[in-house]
Amino acid sequence: MSFRFLETETSIPVSTSHFERPPLPLITSRDLPYKSKYQEIRQAWLCNMDTVEEEKLGLVDLHPSIFAVMPRLDVIWHNYNWQKKYRFVDYVTEPSRAELPGGGRKPWPQKGTGRARHGSIRSPIFLGGGKAHGKRGPRTTFFMLPMSARVSGLINTLTCKYAQDDLVIVDSLNIPTDDPKFIEELIEERKWGVSVLFINECDIMPRNITLATDKMESVTLMPFYGLNVYSMLKYDTLVLTLESLNRIEERLLFNLHRSDINQGKFNRTKFNQSVLMNSD
C-alpha cells in the first residue's frame, strides 16, 4: 500500500515555519488492495497538527472493507466483554469452617438441653460461621476470543467511529511546542470531545506531544499495534496518523483474507457486511 501526493491546478504555495509540506490543496491517492467493484471507496479529510486551527491538507481514501461494513453491535459487545474480563481478577476468598478461629468444642451437650445438636459454632448454619462452597480467589473468568471475532470487532468499531465523524486522519503527531495548553486549545477548537486517543505508526512518539500530554488523563498515545475495541469505545475521538492508517489497514486486510480466518464459531461475522453508499 503506497501514497501518492498529487497537486491540483489551483494549488497555492503555503509557507510553513515548523514543518515542510507540499503545496495545498493535496489529494492523497492510496493504492488499496482487495478492492471490490461493488463497494465505493470512502474518503476522509487529512488534517494538520502544527496549528490550533484546523487546516485541511487533502482527502484520504479509506478501504470500504474496513470503514464501510454493516455495524454489528453484538460483535463489538463480544470484544468489549472479552477485554473487560481478561483484565479482571477476583481476589475475594471466603473462609471455610476449618479456617475460622475458635469453636473447637461443642457449644452445648449433645443431649438433655432440648436444643438441636451441634458440634461447632463455626458451622455454616451459624451466624458468623464459615462459608460452604464459597469463593476461593484469586479467580479469573478469562477466555480467548477467536481471531475472526477480534478482527471483525476492530473493523466494526472503526466503521462506527467513521460513521459518527469521530475518526480524524492527520499527517503526523508533530506539534510546535510541548506546552499542554496547545493540545487543550487544539482539542477544544476542533471539538474532539472530552477524551482523545492518538495512534502513531511506532511506539516512539514525538517529543513535544509526549511532554504535552504527560499529565493529561483524558489524552492517550498508543502505537498502531495496540489499537483495540475497548480503547476506541472509551475515548470520544480517534486520531490516526497517515502511516498508522496504512499499517492498520494492511494488518486487518491480511487477517481478513487469510485462509484460516473462518475457522471457529464466529465465521458467520463476514456475512452481509457491505453497506451500499446510497442505502436508506
Side-chain angles (χ1 to χ4, degrees), residues 36-260:
S36 174
K37 61 181 179 180
Y38 303 107
Q39 292 178 290
E40 294 190 27
I41 296 176
R42 269 47 172 184
Q43 289 183 328
W45 285 110
L46 177 65
C47 306
N48 68 320
M49 283 282 292
D50 53 350
T51 59
V52 174
E53 294 78 13
E54 185 176 19
E55 184 178 1
K56 301 221 171 17
L57 307 180
L59 288 171
V60 182
D61 294 336
L62 302 178
H63 204 290
S65 297
I66 297 177
F67 295 94
V69 302
M70 180 68 72
R72 288 189 50 176
L73 297 182
D74 59 330
V75 176
I76 297 177
W77 181 87
H78 279 301
N79 282 264
Y80 169 81
N81 186 49
W82 165 61
Q83 287 190 254
K84 185 178 68 173
K85 284 189 174 182
Y86 78 57
R87 67 180 63 192
F88 174 74
V89 179
D90 188 5
Y91 289 97
V92 176
T93 301
E94 296 175 327
S96 63
R97 60 183 297 171
E99 296 171 337
L100 289 177
R105 59 182 294 272
K106 289 175 68 67
W108 48 79
Q110 179 84 353
K111 297 181 180 294
T113 61
R115 307 173 69 180
R117 45 198 171 185
H118 293 287
S120 174
I121 59 173
R122 297 180 299 184
S123 173
I125 64 177
F126 276 91
L127 184 63
K131 182 72 173 179
H133 311 293
K135 294 184 178 180
R136 307 298 297 178
R139 178 176 173 269
T140 178
T141 57
F142 170 78
F143 65 96
M144 198 61 201
L145 205 62
M147 172 66 74
S148 59
R150 284 176 277 160
V151 173
S152 183
L154 289 172
I155 292 175
N156 279 268
T157 310
L158 286 172
T159 297
C160 292
K161 282 290 184 181
Y162 174 74
Q164 295 172 351
D165 200 18
D166 292 331
L167 179 68
V168 180
I169 311 296
V170 297
D171 55 347
S172 67
L173 297 182
N174 292 315
I175 58 177
T177 178
D178 58 359
D179 189 2
K181 292 184 179 179
F182 179 85
I183 292 292
E184 294 176 357
E185 294 176 358
L186 185 145
I187 294 175
E188 184 177 359
E189 173 70 20
R190 304 189 184 187
K191 296 179 175 58
W192 283 355
V194 179
S195 55
V196 182
L197 177 62
F198 291 95
I199 304 298
N200 196 27
E201 62 269 14
C202 61
D203 49 11
I204 301 178
M205 306 293 174
R207 176 184 180 276
N208 287 343
I209 195 171
T210 302
L211 295 176
T213 60
D214 186 34
K215 301 295 181 61
M216 300 178 64
E217 297 181 356
S218 60
V219 178
T220 299
L221 304 177
M222 182 182 295
F224 78 97
Y225 53 79
L227 186 65
N228 58 88
V229 174
Y230 191 94
S231 297
M232 285 192 285
L233 296 177
K234 179 180 178 181
Y235 293 89
D236 292 336
T237 304
L238 176 64
V239 180
L240 302 175
T241 62
L242 198 58
E243 185 61 31
S244 66
L245 173 65
N246 182 25
R247 300 285 187 87
I248 291 171
E249 283 191 352
E250 183 179 359
R251 283 203 173 187
L252 288 178
L253 289 173
F254 168 76
N255 287 284
L256 195 62
H257 294 86
R258 57 190 297 179
S259 60
D260 58 342

Side-chain angles (χ1 to χ4, degrees), residues 12-28:
I12 303 174
V14 176
S15 60
T16 57
S17 58
H18 302 288
F19 310 103
E20 295 183 359
R21 66 166 70 99
L24 302 180
L26 296 178
I27 298 178
T28 307

